[in-house]
Amino acid sequence: MWGLGNAPIPNMVHLLESKGIRVFSLAEEVREVDAFCTWYDSKPFVFLNTMKSVERSRFDAAHELGHLVRDVYSMSHGESHSPEMEREANEFAAAFLMPKESVIANRPPAFTIRYLIKLKRYWGVSLAAMAYRYSSLRQITEWSYRNLCIEIAKNGYRTTEPDPIEERETSQLFSKVLEFLQSQKIGRSEIAKKLFISIDEVNALTFNLTRLSVVSGVGSIEDASEADLKQPPTLRLV
């Protein structure tokens, strides 16, 4: 329906925002939560945990998109959240990020860690997700997939991604909004006061794009974050 074709998706956050989905980042205090989504006033929202790897965050974004699509059906049919819906959201995310036709067309000559690392970089997913996708499409034997999983776990690749994507996906919309506010001399203090939250929370929700909102504004010292208060003054020799 979106006409995306079968090529890899360059940036999941930008794609969701282009379709009208509000994407926010989660604060560090909720690192045990991967991501979640909700509908508010008929508008879809997605919250992503940026403490996870880039590959994991991309999959989480696609997973939550699956929930949003399914929620349209669930709400109209009175369905409640269930483990089955989580499984379906995972399947949706895998198929969305790694389309069947292209994945099969790019089938490696051998299912080894070395070949799969190259492919997972191409699709922007984790090594484990890449291996599972080929397994679910029955492109690899159960025995070979089992050995791959053992090798992935043995090398610690389930917790530390090999050859990771370094540049994290962030909001394109927030960058433009913060640039505009900066041009209007509106800083983090004013934003935080109008939203009745702290400056730290503003940063946490907007992918920590503080470089675009460095104007502190005219807020009082009570409005400043602890990090701002600890920042030493700039001195110069006269």
Side-chain angles (χ1 to χ4, degrees):
M1 290 177 63
W2 286 354
L4 299 175
N6 291 322
I9 298 175
N11 192 303
M12 273 300 302
V13 175
H14 292 180
L15 175 63
L16 296 183
E17 289 182 328
S18 72
K19 301 302 179 180
I21 299 172
R22 279 70 169 169
V23 186
F24 292 84
S25 50
L26 287 169
E28 184 177 352
E29 289 75 16
V30 290
R31 65 174 62 194
E32 70 278 1
V33 179
D34 291 334
F36 72 91
C37 64
T38 187
W39 289 83
Y40 180 75
D41 195 21
S42 299
K43 297 181 179 65
F45 288 79
V46 167
F47 294 81
L48 300 174
N49 192 332
T50 55
M51 301 300 293
K52 309 296 181 181
S53 68
V54 177
E55 292 87 347
R56 180 65 179 272
S57 187
R58 281 172 52 84
F59 193 91
D60 288 341
H63 177 101
E64 298 308 320
L65 175 61
H67 276 306
L68 291 174
V69 173
R70 178 60 187 265
D71 282 349
V72 176
Y73 174 88
S74 301
M75 289 185 294
S76 61
H77 289 73
E79 289 190 8
S80 58
H81 195 82
S82 66
E84 178 67 12
M85 292 177 67
E86 287 297 315
R87 184 188 64 80
E88 291 178 352
N90 280 332
E91 291 182 356
F92 176 93
F96 192 81
L97 291 172
M98 298 168 279
K100 177 181 178 180
E101 292 80 6
S102 295
V103 168
I104 293 177
N106 287 278
R107 189 177 187 272
F111 285 99
T112 63
I113 295 292
R114 182 168 64 89
Y115 279 118
L116 287 181
I117 286 178
K118 292 180 180 179
L119 284 172
K120 73 104 181 176
R121 285 281 298 185
Y122 176 72
W123 293 107
V125 298
S126 69
L127 180 62
M130 189 80 259
Y132 182 79
R133 182 60 172 154
Y134 275 111
S135 175
S136 65
L137 293 175
R138 299 185 178 180
Q139 297 296 301
I140 182 175
T141 66
E142 185 177 346
W143 183 84
S144 296
Y145 176 64
R146 180 176 179 275
N147 285 338
L148 263 179
C149 290
I150 292 173
E151 189 174 355
I152 289 173
K154 183 179 179 181
N155 286 281
Y157 292 155
R158 289 194 176 277
T159 54
T160 303
E161 194 64 33
D163 193 17
I165 300 173
E166 296 181 0
E167 187 174 354
R168 180 168 297 281
E169 296 181 354
T170 57
S171 169
Q172 192 174 45
L173 180 62
F174 285 139
S175 297
K176 294 179 180 180
V177 169
L178 292 172
E179 283 178 344
F180 173 77
L181 292 175
Q182 186 180 23
S183 70
Q184 301 298 308
K185 304 299 181 183
I186 298 175
R188 288 173 293 166
S189 294
E190 287 83 357
I191 297 172
K193 282 198 295 184
K194 289 183 178 181
L195 295 176
F196 299 100
I197 59 177
S198 68
I199 296 174
D200 289 339
E201 192 170 357
V202 171
N203 293 335
L205 288 169
T206 57
F207 296 89
N208 284 310
L209 295 175
T210 53
R211 59 186 177 84
L212 298 177
S213 55
V214 294
V215 181
S216 61
V218 295
S220 65
I221 192 169
E222 288 78 14
D223 298 321
S225 67
E226 183 178 352
D228 291 332
L229 293 175
K230 290 182 179 179
Q231 185 175 1
T234 302
L235 304 177
R236 62 188 180 90
L237 184 62
V238 179

